[in-house]
Amino acid sequence: MAETADTAAEQEEVLTDQDIVTGAKEPSLKPADVKAPELTGDIQIPHLVKGAMAKSKCHAAKPETMEAMGFPGRLVDNWEEAAVKKLGELLTKYKSLQVYLDICVRCGSCTDKCQFFLGSKDPKNMPVARADLLRKVYKKYFTTEGKIFGSLAGAAKLDLELLGEWYTYFHQCSQCRRCSVFCPYGIDTAEISMAAREIMDSIGIGQKYVNTVLVKLHEIGNNLGMNPKALKATMESTEEDIQEEDGVAVKLPVDQVGAEVLLITPSADFFATPHIESLIGYAKVFHQAGISWTLSSTASEAGNFGMFIGSYEHMQKAAMRIRKAIEELKPKRLIVGECGHAWRIAYAFWNTMIGPLDNSLGLKLEYPRPQHICEYTLDLVERGAIKLDKSANDDVIPTFHDSCNVARATRMGDRPGGQFEIPRALINAACNRYVEMDSDTIKEKTFCCGGGGGLLSDEILDVRVQGAMPRMQAYHAIKEENGANFFALICAICKAQFTKVFPKYGIPMIEVGGIHQLVAKAIELGAKE
C-alpha cells in the first residue's frame, strides 16, 4: 500500500502547472475514434452537454518553438501577474477590446450561431460563454464592481483551472465571426479569442500547430518549410504534368524579375490535392491570356498565422516578406490565390502594414492592389481574353462554400457584395449546373469549415468534425435535393479541412475542390481566334 502511495506521489510531482493547463499528460483521441454526427439535412439547436469538449485540447508548442517567436519557453513562474499585466496592455492598446468586454448584455443572440456549439453541445462553446472566460478576469482586475463584489459581479480570479479553460475553449474558436453578424451590438468575439491567445503566448502557453507554422514561415518563407530549391523543382515537375496531360507548355515561373504579375498563393497549392489543381488553373489562365507572371521563392506563402494568435507584430513580420518580394521582383500587379484568411490580411492589412502598395513600389495604380485571383480571372472571361467551355464540367454539379474570412471581412471588385457575386459568377462561367445551399448558411451568414483559426490539427479532430457539422448538413441537403457533387472553395484551410472531414461523414473526399480547378478543366488552351 505504501509503495502505491509513493508511486502516486511521484506521478503527482511531475504533473506541472503547464501539464494541468494544456492536458499534456492526458491521451489524445485517436482520429480513427472520431465519429461524425448523423447527416439529416437539418441544423438543430442541441441539448446542452456540460463539459462535452473539456478534454479536447491542442498540443502545446515546444519550448524551442516558443522561444524562436520571442515568447517564454514554458509557463512563467509569475504567470497570473504577467497575464493580468498583458491584458492591461491589450486593453490600453485596443480600445475595441474593452468595449466588447463591457457592452455584452448576454441577450443570447449569438448562442446558437457558433458551429462549434451546434456540433459539440458544450455550453462553453457558446460565443458569449467563451468570451465570459476572459470577461470575468477583466472584471476581477479592471472594474470597480468586480474588485468589490467579486463573483456577484461576474468576476473571477485567474487560477490554473480557469487558465486551462482558456487554453481549451479559445482553441475551439475559429475566429470566423459568424456570431458577430447576429450580435445586436456588433461584438467581435474573434478579437476576444485573439486577445486570450496573445496573453497565453506571452506567459509561455502556446499552441503547437500555429506557432510551429509561424516559425517555418519566418525562417523559410512558407508554412510547409519548403526551401527555394524544392519549390522550383516542384514547379518544374508540375509543368511536365501539364504538358503530358494537355500537350501545352504552360510555365510556372519562380523569381522572374519584371513579370507583369506577382502571384502570392498558399503553399499548400504547391503539392497537395486538391490545392494543386487550382494552382494549375491559375497557370493556365496566365498562359492563355499571355500575361507574364511569377511566384517568389522567398515569399511563397499567402497565409499569415500571426492573425490566429492575435499578434500584429508577427502578422507584420510575416507580411514584410511580400513587400521585399515586390521590391526585388518589380511586378506591376499583385494577385492573391485561393486562401481565405490570406485574402483578409491582404485586403485589410497589407496597404497599411507593409505599404502603401502604390507606384512607389512600381505597381500600376489602375489595378486593385492587391487583387483576388477570382476577380482577375472573371475579368478576363468577361472581356473575352480567355474562353471557358462549360461542357467540360458537365460531370459536376457544383455548389459554393463562402469562406468566413472572405465573406465577413473583405470585398472583391468595386461594389459591396462582390466577394459573394464574383466567385459564383466565375463558377457559372465554367459550369452549366450550379446549385446554391440554404440561404441561412451562405454569404454573410456562412458557417466556418471548422478548421480555421489555427484548429487544423489532428489531436482536436473531434472538434473539427463537430464544428463542420452545420456546413455538412447544408451540403447533404443540397446533395439530396439537387444532386450536388462538387464542393467549390477558395480557401486552402477549407480544402484541407473538408478533405479530412468529408470521409468522416461518408462523403467522398474527391468532391472537394477549388474554383480554379473547375477553370482548369474548362479553359480552352492553344491559339486564339
Side-chain angles (χ1 to χ4, degrees):
M1 195 72 172
E3 183 180 349
T4 303
D6 290 341
T7 303
E10 290 174 6
Q11 291 176 342
E12 189 173 344
E13 286 177 5
V14 298
L15 193 63
T16 65
D17 288 352
Q18 177 120 0
D19 297 330
I20 293 170
V21 170
T22 63
K25 301 298 183 180
E26 299 175 8
S28 297
L29 187 65
K30 296 178 180 179
D33 296 330
V34 175
K35 306 299 180 186
E38 179 186 0
L39 287 179
T40 63
D42 294 324
I43 302 170
Q44 301 289 338
I45 299 175
H47 295 290
L48 302 184
V49 181
K50 187 177 180 180
M53 307 304 288
K55 292 188 179 297
S56 295
K57 294 176 181 280
C58 296
H59 289 166
K62 294 180 179 179
E64 55 266 31
T65 299
M66 297 291 287
E67 290 165 358
M69 296 179 65
F71 300 131
R74 302 283 297 178
L75 184 63
V76 297
D77 292 336
N78 61 332
W79 64 265
E80 180 190 344
E81 178 185 345
V84 172
K85 181 181 178 182
K86 183 65 176 180
L87 175 55
E89 292 174 1
L90 296 180
L91 292 169
T92 301
K93 190 174 184 180
Y94 307 119
K95 295 300 183 183
S96 57
L97 177 61
Q98 183 169 350
V99 172
Y100 295 147
L101 292 173
D102 278 334
I103 65 175
C104 177
V105 296
R106 296 172 182 78
C107 67
S109 296
C110 68
T111 56
D112 62 341
K113 306 306 187 293
C114 176
Q115 59 273 353
F116 295 102
F117 167 64
L118 291 172
S120 73
K121 310 177 181 65
D122 192 318
K124 287 182 180 173
N125 271 328
M126 294 178 181
V128 61
R130 188 187 295 113
D132 269 352
L133 297 174
L134 180 60
R135 185 177 289 109
K136 62 177 66 176
V137 175
Y138 161 70
K139 287 186 173 182
K140 172 67 177 178
Y141 298 94
F142 296 95
T143 69
T144 301
E145 65 270 24
K147 292 175 181 178
I148 296 173
F149 297 108
S151 61
L152 293 175
K157 182 179 184 293
L158 182 57
D159 57 17
L160 276 179
E161 181 180 357
L162 183 52
L163 184 60
E165 290 185 318
W166 278 27
Y167 188 79
T168 299
Y169 291 103
F170 283 119
H171 288 116
Q172 293 183 24
C173 168
S174 61
Q175 303 171 357
C176 80
R177 304 164 76 236
R178 188 175 194 265
C179 52
S180 302
V181 172
F182 296 91
C183 175
Y185 294 97
I187 295 171
D188 190 343
T189 309
E191 188 166 332
I192 297 173
S193 289
M194 290 163 67
R197 292 188 188 182
E198 187 169 7
I199 293 167
M200 286 188 282
D201 272 317
S202 74
I203 62 173
I205 297 291
Q207 194 240 56
K208 178 182 177 180
Y209 170 63
V210 171
N211 288 4
T212 300
V213 163
L214 272 168
V215 169
K216 289 179 182 177
L217 180 62
H218 292 329
E219 292 181 349
I220 299 175
N222 59 65
N223 291 352
L224 302 175
M226 179 182 285
N227 63 40
K229 184 176 180 180
L231 173 61
K232 292 175 181 178
T234 301
M235 295 305 97
E236 291 171 0
S237 176
T238 304
E239 290 175 355
E240 294 171 3
D241 291 342
I242 298 172
Q243 176 75 48
E244 183 177 343
E245 183 167 337
D246 297 309
V248 179
V250 174
K251 298 299 182 183
L252 286 89
V254 180
D255 294 335
Q256 296 296 306
V257 177
E260 178 75 11
V261 169
L262 172 60
L263 175 70
I264 309 293
T265 196
S267 55
D269 282 356
F270 301 144
F271 79 100
T273 295
H275 309 72
I276 196 168
E277 282 77 13
S278 283
L279 177 66
I280 291 170
Y282 315 151
K284 288 181 176 180
V285 166
F286 293 131
H287 170 87
Q288 192 61 20
I291 302 294
S292 63
W293 70 287
T294 189
L295 297 162
S296 165
S297 65
T298 56
S300 53
E301 179 62 65
N304 189 328
F305 282 20
M307 186 173 73
F308 297 159
I309 62 171
S311 172
Y312 288 92
E313 290 78 10
H314 278 283
M315 280 176 62
Q316 185 174 40
K317 181 178 179 181
M320 282 302 295
R321 298 170 301 104
I322 312 299
R323 181 185 175 92
K324 185 176 180 182
I326 297 170
E327 292 171 340
E328 291 177 349
L329 298 179
K330 299 177 173 51
K332 300 297 185 291
R333 302 180 69 170
L334 187 59
I335 293 178
V336 179
E338 295 181 353
C339 185
H341 83 274
W343 177 239
R344 177 182 178 183
I345 289 174
Y347 177 86
F349 295 104
W350 277 0
N351 263 291
T352 53
M353 190 170 279
I354 63 170
L357 302 178
D358 57 18
N359 56 5
S360 67
L361 290 173
L363 298 172
K364 291 183 178 179
L365 299 183
E366 60 264 37
Y367 300 122
R369 302 176 309 281
Q371 186 174 37
H372 195 279
I373 187 66
C374 285
E375 180 186 356
Y376 177 80
T377 300
L378 183 63
D379 176 66
L380 291 173
V381 172
E382 292 178 339
R383 291 192 292 106
I386 61 174
K387 290 186 177 181
L388 304 182
D389 176 11
K390 293 185 177 186
S391 66
N393 284 310
D394 277 351
D395 59 325
V396 299
I397 302 175
T399 191
F400 179 61
H401 165 76
D402 293 277
S403 297
C404 52
N405 278 300
V406 175
R408 288 189 278 265
T410 73
R411 183 183 294 181
M412 295 181 202
D414 58 0
R415 60 188 182 276
Q419 72 271 33
F420 308 132
E421 298 166 9
I422 287 173
R424 288 169 169 81
L426 185 54
I427 296 173
N428 278 300
C431 304
N432 281 312
R433 299 192 289 171
Y434 177 77
V435 294
E436 193 78 270
M437 286 182 281
D438 186 274
S439 60
D440 284 335
T441 72
I442 60 172
K443 298 184 177 179
E444 69 275 2
K445 297 179 182 179
T446 188
F447 280 103
C448 176
C449 67
L455 307 189
L456 204 66
S457 51
D458 279 355
E459 69 269 16
I460 55 166
L461 184 58
D462 56 335
V463 175
R464 293 166 53 191
V465 169
Q466 304 293 349
M469 184 275 289
R471 172 54 72 216
M472 298 307 302
Q473 297 290 10
Y475 184 54
H476 175 76
I478 203 70
K479 283 177 67 67
E480 293 292 300
E481 295 166 11
N482 298 96
N485 63 4
F486 191 87
F487 196 69
L489 303 162
I490 52 170
C491 176
I493 286 177
C494 291
K495 292 171 187 174
Q497 162 72 345
F498 285 121
T499 51
K500 186 82 172 185
V501 167
F502 264 41
K504 291 290 183 183
Y505 283 89
I507 299 174
M509 184 179 72
I510 198 171
E511 294 190 16
V512 177
I515 287 183
H516 276 79
Q517 180 175 337
L518 299 172
V519 171
K521 287 177 62 180
I523 193 167
E524 296 183 2
L525 297 175
K528 296 183 180 181
E529 294 179 3

